[in-house]
C-alpha cells in the first residue's frame, strides 16, 4: 500500500488521486463509512443469532428461520421507503445533516437493544431504527463525496468510499464472531453465546456509531456556490 501510494502521488494519471482523497470532507466521510459499515453488519451477525437461539439459553428467542427473517426483513423495507425521502432531504437540508441524523439513529438503535432485548419486538424496533440510519447515511455519503471532488474523480472516490464501508462490514463480521465465540457457554454439548456477549457486541456497535456521528460533525459545510463541482 505504501509503494502504491508513493506511485499514485507521482504518476500523471493516477488510479486514485490521493490528494483529493485527503480533503477533509472526503477523508472524514470515508473514515465514518467504516463505522457505518461496522454498525450495519453488527446487527446482521447478532440479531439473527438472538432470534434463532434456543429460548432456554438466556439470550435466545427460539424462532425458526422464517420467523426470524420476518423480524429482520422490515429494516430493508424501511430503507426502500425512505430512499425518496433521503433524496428530498439532501436537496433541502444537504447531505451532511442527513448523515448526522442517520448516525444518531444507529446509536439510538443499539442503545435501545442494549437496554431492552428481552422481547422479540425489541429486536424489531432496534432493527427498524438501524434501517432508518443506514438508509440516511448510505444515501448521504455518495452525495458528500460528489460535492467535494472534481467531476473526473467521482467514480474513483465513490469506489473508495464503498471500499471503506466494506472494511467496516468485514471487520464487524470478524469482531462480532470473535466476541460471540469467546463469550459462550456449553448447552447440551453446543457452544452458545451468552447474554453478556451480545451486550458487548452492542457496546462495540455503539462506539462505531458514535465515531461516525462525531466525524460527521467535522465534515466541512459547503456554500451554495461550491456545492456541485461534479453535478449538473
Amino acid at each position: 500500500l505504501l509503494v502504491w501510494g508513493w506511485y499514485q502521488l507521482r504518476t500523471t494519471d493516477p488510479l486514485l488521486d490521493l490528494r483529493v482523497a485527503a480533503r477533509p470532507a472526503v477523508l472524514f466521510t470515508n473514515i465514518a463509512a467504516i463505522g457505518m459499515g461496522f454498525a450495519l453488519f453488527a446487527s446482521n451477525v447478532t440479531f439473527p443469532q438472538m432470534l434463532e437461539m434456543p429460548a432456554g439459553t438466556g439470550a435466545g428467542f427460539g424462532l425458526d428461520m422464517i420467523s426470524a427473517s420476518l423480524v429482520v426483513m422490515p429494516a430493508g423495507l424501511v430503507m426502500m421507503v425512505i430512499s425518496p425521502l433521503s433524496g428530498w432531504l439532501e436537496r433541502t437540508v444537504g447531505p451532511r445533516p442527513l448523515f448526522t441524523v442517520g448516525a444518531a439513529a444507529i446509536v439510538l438503535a443499539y442503545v435501545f437493544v442494549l437496554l431492552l432485548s428481552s422481547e422479540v419486538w425489541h429486536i424489531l424496533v432496534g432493527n427498524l431504527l438501524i434501517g432508518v440510519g443506514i438508509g440516511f447515511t448510505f444515501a448521504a455519503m455518495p452525495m458528500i463525496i460528489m460535492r467535494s471532488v472534481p467531476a473526473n474523480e467521482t467514480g474513483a472516490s465513490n469506489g473508495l468510499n464503498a471500499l471503506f464501508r466494506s472494511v467496516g462490514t468485514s471487520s464487524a463480521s470478524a469482531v462480532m464472531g470473535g466476541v460471540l465465540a469467546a463469550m459462550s457457554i456449553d448447552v447440551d454439548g453446543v457452544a452458545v453465546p451468552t447474554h453478556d456477549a451480545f451486550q458487548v457486541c452492542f457496546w462495540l456497535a455503539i462506539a462505531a456509531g458514535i465515531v461516525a456521528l462525531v466525524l460527521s460533525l467535522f465534515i466541512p459545510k459547503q456554500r451554495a456556490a461550491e456545492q456541485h463541482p461534479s453535478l449538473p
Side-chain angles (χ1 to χ4, degrees):
L1 281 175
L2 290 175
V3 172
W4 176 81
W6 176 86
Y7 174 75
Q8 293 297 302
L9 289 171
R10 286 159 179 78
T11 184
T12 55
D13 188 20
L15 175 67
L16 177 68
D17 191 335
L18 296 180
R19 295 178 180 86
V20 172
R23 292 179 180 179
V26 180
L27 181 62
F28 291 146
T29 301
N30 284 336
I31 298 175
I34 298 177
M36 286 295 94
F38 190 98
L40 167 63
F41 217 75
S43 65
N44 291 348
V45 173
T46 56
F47 288 172
Q49 291 203 54
M50 292 183 69
L51 292 169
E52 295 180 50
M53 278 171 46
T57 59
F61 297 99
L63 300 184
D64 58 67
M65 186 178 294
I66 297 297
S67 300
S69 67
L70 292 176
V71 176
V72 174
M73 179 183 63
L77 298 178
V78 167
M79 294 182 203
M80 292 176 58
V81 170
I82 67 174
S83 292
L85 177 62
S86 298
W88 178 79
L89 287 174
E90 283 176 348
R91 294 189 297 271
T92 304
V93 302
R96 195 189 77 156
L98 194 64
F99 189 98
T100 302
V101 170
I106 293 288
V107 174
L108 179 62
Y110 282 108
V111 169
F112 178 82
V113 294
L114 182 69
L115 299 175
L116 295 172
S117 57
S118 59
E119 302 288 343
V120 172
W121 70 267
H122 294 159
I123 305 301
L124 174 63
V125 171
N127 209 37
L128 287 173
L129 286 172
I130 290 173
V132 172
I134 294 300
F136 280 159
T137 56
F138 276 40
M141 283 188 285
M143 189 62 68
I144 294 173
I145 298 294
M146 293 180 70
R147 291 184 175 188
S148 305
V149 303
N152 64 323
E153 288 291 327
T154 55
S157 296
N158 274 304
L160 183 64
N161 181 257
L163 175 63
F164 274 83
R165 277 180 272 169
S166 296
V167 170
T169 56
S170 57
S171 300
S173 177
V175 171
M176 297 300 161
V179 170
L180 295 177
M183 303 178 64
S184 60
I185 58 175
D186 187 90
V187 177
D188 297 329
V190 178
V192 177
T194 63
H195 177 73
D196 290 341
F198 290 104
Q199 296 291 94
V200 171
C201 290
F202 296 153
W203 274 115
L204 292 172
I206 289 171
I210 290 175
V211 169
L213 175 61
V214 172
L215 286 173
S216 73
L217 301 176
F218 286 94
I219 297 173
K221 294 182 178 179
Q222 298 156 320
R223 294 195 297 269
E226 299 176 340
Q227 273 189 337
H228 307 286
S230 57
L231 296 176

